[in-house]
Amino acid sequence: MFEILGAGALAGFCAKVVDDIIDRRLRVPSYLPILLALAYGLLLGWLSGPAGLSSLFIALALASLLSGKIDHPYHLLGAAAFALVILLTPLGGFSPWWFALFLTSGLLDELELGRGKLLERLNEERVWTPLAALLGTAFFGLPLLFLLVLLLFDLSFRFGGWVVSLEYPAHAPQTAPAKPKRKRK
């Protein structure tokens, strides 16, 4: 069980670092986001296959795809690694009911539906999927492992953002400065 929890935490951390590298255009060695994208894709694939959390992570991957969040080559690499593991290993613990629950909550998290301060705050914090897992665990027999892995993924995702902000504190993109234009004579 500890390897499952650790894999979920490490996947969340890697996913957030890759997101920040893309979104903030951080200058890092070119191999770093590639390795991190492969890592989170393979880890999430393993969690969906042999570890038995396929209803959760396949639904969330599909929600990301449908909402257009897989929008960069690094995310495509992570998604390809995820799909490869899914294709090469048997799915573990797939339930259409849990899949539907997590696909719906994942889409709510990704699409940011609704207006008003409360809904905007809920969307910003992306709480729909953890809330769905909590309710599923408390009232509908969802195994506690789903909730624990999801919470560790989310906490590590946030921790990854914090670590990147320590290393790259400026809010401005970390791109190379533009070359000065030559003046015409």
Side-chain angles (χ1 to χ4, degrees), residues 143-158:
L144 181 61
L145 184 60
F146 281 74
L147 177 62
L148 293 175
V149 169
L150 186 60
L151 289 176
L152 282 172
F153 179 93
D154 283 350
L155 287 172
S156 296
F157 188 87
R158 292 171 191 262

Side-chain angles (χ1 to χ4, degrees), residues 60-70 106-107 109-112:
L60 295 180
L62 184 57
S64 293
L65 181 67
L66 291 173
S67 65
K69 298 293 181 169
I70 301 176
L107 285 170
D109 278 338
E110 297 293 353
L111 294 176
E112 300 179 6

Side-chain angles (χ1 to χ4, degrees), residues 101-102 105 108-109 122 126-140 142 147 150-151 154:
L101 173 71
F102 290 124
S105 64
L108 285 172
D109 278 338
L122 290 173
R126 300 174 67 161
V127 299
W128 297 113
T129 301
L131 183 60
L134 178 64
L135 293 174
T137 300
F139 299 111
F140 302 112
L142 179 72
L147 177 62
L150 186 60
L151 289 176
D154 283 350

